[in-house]
Structure formats: structure tokens, C-alpha cells
Amino acid sequence: MCGAELKVLPEGVQRVAAFLQDKGHMHAPVMLDDAARTAQQAADALGVAVGQIAKSIIFRRKSDDAAVLVVTSGDRRVDEKKVEALVCLDGKRLGRADAAFVKSRTGFSIGGVSPLAHATPSVTLIDQSLFRFEQIWAAAGHPHGVFQLSPWELQDLTGAPVADLAVDEDDKKRELQRAISLVRLRAPTPDTTLDVSSPCISICRMNASSGLCEGCFRTRDEIAGWSGATDEGKRAVWKIIEQRMAALQT
């Protein structure tokens, strides 16, 4: 790709293209139709399986505020606990990475995070699910930019280790259903005159993706404000929790 061709691409894609060109990679980034926003839509536009779309998921490591990048297949979900076991050796957990954090650490916006050419180095892991395919497509620094490579080339270009990082869907569903069942046992009845019970079931683990506790389905602010809330306020939170649990079961 010549300099003139590079200049017509978005800035993030230019950076990825220059990186790939410097490494001698044979496939330059291409731009997809604006409608191709999800992994499934990108796969449809490229005529490949959704698993061949390499998703870049960014977490925030609490101990040092480092960006943790997990690259996984488009048909898989990342198991946060597996990632924590590999990159949070001090016992602290991963946190949620908001749009500002992602942009400042990687130089890319959410939805277009490339697995390489980051503004600052990220702690990077590759999910082994990608190795089901000979060819995959990764984000190229823009929500509509992608480039082709093999999983082995991805590993070579990033220098990242490969591990089993995907969620076991059956185990996850059982864990979710157990938490929902336990929380509902603590739900107040409409006519109770007793103090409104806390939904806490002693599973105090925040999900970095949703921002909710995986035990009680509350946000950090809702948890922090619980003790000082009125019964009316607590019932309002309970109503929101019920809505969240219902949505998770659909």
C-alpha cells in the first residue's frame, strides 16, 4: 500500500496499515460497508463464519491500571475469571474499561480496537478458539476496518500467549441460574412490613463487561448506597434487579 492510499484511510487504520506494512504482512486493511458493525454483520459482509472474526476485548487491570486485551472468536465470550487467573497475580481483579480508557490506552475507539499497533503496550492474550480456523479477520483501527491473517500470524505479530479463555456456556448458565434463584429468595413481598432485605448472596464479583455484581445484579453505586437508602429506595432497586434478572434469562 503506497503513501497516497494510506492517506485516504481513517487515522487508526493508517496506523495499523503502516504497522502491517513494516512487518511485511501481505494483507492490507480493507473497509467494510457502514452497516457491518457486529461480528455477525462483519462475517456476513466478508462471507466467512462469525467465529473467524477476531474480537478485541479490553479490560482494566486494577493493580496498575494497565489495559488487558483479549482476542477471541466472534462466536465466543471471554471468561473474565480465566483472564484474571493469568494476569492478576496479586489477587486484585479486572475492572471495566470505558470508552475513554480504551481510547487513551490503545488509540482506537471501542468497536475498532486492533490487536496490534496500540498507542501504549497492552497486556495481550489470544483465545485458543481462533485456532479452529486457517484464516481470521481482525479489527484494523476503525469499526468498519478489518484485515486478514492467520491465528499463527496473529500470535507472531503480537507476541501474545495462547490460552483457553472462553466461557463454558453450560457452566455459566448454571451459575447464573443459581444466583438468580438465591437472589429471588431474598426479594421482599409487596405487603411485608419488615425491613427490605439486601439482595447480597455473598458472591461479590463485579462483571467488567456489564458493570453489575454477578451475585446480586447491582451496580457499584447501588451497592454503596444501599445502607443509607430508604425502604422505598431499596424497593426501587429491587424492581430494577428483577428486570435485569428477567433480561438475563431471555
Side-chain angles (χ1 to χ4, degrees), residues 196 222 225-226 228-240:
V196 179
E222 288 166 350
W226 183 266
T230 63
D231 281 355
E232 183 180 2
K234 291 176 180 179
R235 287 184 183 278
V237 173
W238 263 108
K239 185 175 180 178
I240 294 171

Side-chain angles (χ1 to χ4, degrees), residues 56-62 65-70 80 94-106 108-111 113 122 207-211 220:
S56 293
I57 311 297
I58 296 285
F59 297 97
R60 189 174 194 162
R61 188 164 62 185
K62 293 182 178 180
D65 213 34
V68 177
L69 166 66
V70 179
E80 188 179 326
L94 296 174
R96 190 175 188 181
D98 60 20
F101 177 85
V102 172
K103 183 69 173 181
S104 67
R105 295 299 192 276
T106 69
F108 305 120
S109 298
I110 291 176
V113 177
S122 299
N207 185 294
S209 298
S210 68
R220 291 185 186 278

Side-chain angles (χ1 to χ4, degrees), residues 1 75 153 229 241:
M1 184 177 289
D75 60 353
E153 287 172 326
I241 290 170

Side-chain angles (χ1 to χ4, degrees), residues 80 96 203-223 240-241 243-245 247-248:
E80 188 179 326
R96 190 175 188 181
I203 298 177
C204 302
R205 182 174 61 243
M206 300 305 293
N207 185 294
S209 298
S210 68
L212 299 176
C213 174
E214 294 182 359
C216 67
F217 309 103
R218 290 179 294 177
T219 65
R220 291 185 186 278
D221 287 345
E222 288 166 350
I223 293 170
I240 294 171
I241 290 170
Q243 292 170 349
R244 288 170 180 161
M245 293 191 298
L248 287 168

